[in-house]
Amino acid sequence: VEGASKIGTPRALDSILPLLGTDGELSQAAAKALLTFNGNISQGVTECLKSDNPVTLKAALSLASARHIHSAWNAVVALTQSSLSGVADEAYKALDGVAVAANLPELSAMLQSAAPGAAPMIQRAMLSALAPEQPSAQYDIVSRMMSSAKNPALYYPMLAQAGTPDAVEALVGGFEGNSHSAALQALLMVENPHARDTIFSLASKSSGAERDALLGRWLTLVNNSGLTPAQAYTAYSRALDLNPGEPVKKELISSLARCPVFPAAMRAAAYFGDKHDAYAAANAFAEILKSDEHLRQGDTLRDAANGALKVFGAEKAKGDADAGYAADMLRGLLDNWTTVGGYRPAGADGSA
């Protein structure tokens, strides 16, 4: 079977396709061979989709999707109504690989009448069909479909993928309106960094798990925004001020390591006494000092560095070897510390 797939001739294809209808290892070997078949398998797979053997149909549907056989669209859609065991479900899954933008109107109609279990698979197919389009074009297409939909919330994942300001605004409307849960799930899918301020605003008005979920998405967007260290520190600090729960708080503290600026180092040091986050804070603090030699001077940060050493020592005593390595690195920085200049506690030299 493997040899025939490498040959890639029509005769080789004809020798493999019938094996899809068998049970066991031979059918699996045939499917694997067809995934890498060195030739066009579209017509052969489409013919298999006319079979009345559910084993053949499920294997052919999987291949049609994996090999993106768009010409199989009509056959795949028809099989979503099959009564044969497991075929309809496999057909819905296959829509993702065979759909193109031209199929969006039909997918939209299917989505509106879909059973709850089928709707996510149709949405995945719509997302794939929309993906090659520019974000603004995606939004235009989706908004037109939503305008005549009985349940606009079904289109929220597609708005999230578009991610334009208008798309995000529509999701916020759902979040603040009658489709809160669906809009929240979609907002957690947005990848456009420019949506970060909107999502932060929603997080600041939320609480508990919802706030933390929004902050988690916001953090990803911030980290992909290309902010300066000072800008990033300001962003992380604002999020920490919302007092998020674990593990978002730990992620935010760890993210301070991206900001080699004095305020970030001191914000990290403020968590050395936190039993949950002291180690993450010490690691972030050490990374900040390592990143900028200009911070390795003065009394304030030297005292904080000694505090970080205590945290590393406690973790090492628990058996964490990495804490020992971090402590050694930090001691090396302290050995070359500059006491002149830098930052000192207010009033240490008699000043206010």
Side-chain angles (χ1 to χ4, degrees):
V1 174
E2 184 178 352
S5 73
K6 293 179 180 179
I7 295 171
T9 63
R11 175 179 287 185
L13 180 62
D14 290 341
S15 72
I16 299 175
L17 287 171
L19 302 179
L20 291 177
T22 61
D23 286 316
E25 295 182 1
L26 193 57
S27 177
Q28 295 175 10
K32 183 178 179 181
L34 289 168
L35 281 174
T36 57
F37 190 84
N38 187 26
N40 191 328
I41 67 171
S42 299
Q43 184 174 349
V45 171
T46 303
E47 285 298 313
C48 288
L49 293 175
K50 299 176 182 178
S51 172
D52 58 3
N53 180 346
V55 177
T56 299
L57 287 171
K58 286 186 283 188
L61 284 164
S62 180
L63 282 166
S65 182
R67 292 286 297 250
H68 299 289
I69 302 176
H70 304 304
S71 59
W73 167 259
N74 290 331
V76 173
V77 171
L79 288 170
T80 61
Q81 304 304 309
S82 174
S83 60
L84 295 173
S85 176
V87 171
D89 189 59
E90 197 66 41
Y92 275 114
K93 293 177 184 176
L95 291 172
D96 183 24
V98 301
V100 294
N103 305 129
L104 284 166
E106 192 170 357
L107 283 168
S108 182
M110 292 173 67
L111 182 61
Q112 285 299 306
S113 60
M121 293 182 278
I122 298 171
Q123 289 169 329
R124 281 195 292 272
M126 296 181 76
L127 289 168
S128 294
L130 285 162
E133 305 293 330
Q134 292 296 314
S136 58
Q138 290 188 43
Y139 171 72
D140 289 342
I141 294 169
V142 175
S143 61
R144 285 197 298 270
M145 291 189 292
M146 290 178 67
S147 65
S148 59
K150 294 180 181 179
N151 185 2
L154 289 170
Y155 296 83
Y156 284 174
M158 286 68 84
L159 287 179
Q161 178 172 275
T164 64
D166 287 337
V168 174
E169 182 180 350
L171 292 176
V172 171
F175 182 86
E176 295 176 340
N178 297 325
S179 301
H180 181 89
S181 179
L184 171 62
Q185 294 307 310
L187 286 163
L188 299 180
M189 297 165 56
V190 172
E191 296 184 355
N192 186 348
H194 294 294
R196 65 182 185 272
D197 289 342
T198 298
I199 291 180
F200 184 86
S201 177
L202 296 177
S204 68
K205 302 171 188 174
S206 302
S207 61
E210 183 175 286
R211 173 204 57 207
D212 291 351
L214 287 165
L215 283 178
R217 171 47 46 179
W218 170 87
L219 180 58
T220 298
L221 299 183
V222 167
N223 290 344
N224 292 332
S225 293
L227 301 181
T228 67
Q231 290 171 330
Y233 161 70
T234 299
Y236 301 141
S237 185
R238 289 176 63 209
L240 284 166
D241 288 342
L242 296 181
N243 194 29
E246 302 287 354
V248 175
K249 180 181 175 184
K250 191 182 300 293
E251 289 184 52
L252 287 165
I253 292 171
S254 295
S255 294
L256 292 170
R258 295 168 169 259
C259 314
V261 293
F262 175 74
M266 295 307 296
R267 185 72 193 241
Y271 295 98
F272 289 171
D274 187 318
K275 64 179 181 179
H276 297 296
D277 301 305
Y279 190 27
N283 276 306
F285 178 88
E287 189 62 32
I288 291 169
L289 293 190
K290 179 182 174 183
S291 299
D292 188 348
E293 63 178 341
H294 296 98
L295 294 173
R296 301 196 291 271
Q297 53 185 320
D299 297 334
T300 300
L301 287 178
R302 182 188 59 191
D303 292 344
N306 284 317
L309 280 177
K310 293 179 181 178
V311 175
F312 289 140
E315 293 299 319
K316 182 181 179 182
K318 298 176 186 177
D320 190 326
D322 289 337
Y325 299 139
D328 289 342
M329 183 274 289
L330 191 51
R331 288 193 191 94
L333 298 181
L334 284 167
D335 287 343
N336 294 286
W337 203 267
T338 301
T339 56
V340 178
Y343 302 90
R344 298 183 180 183
D349 60 355
S351 62

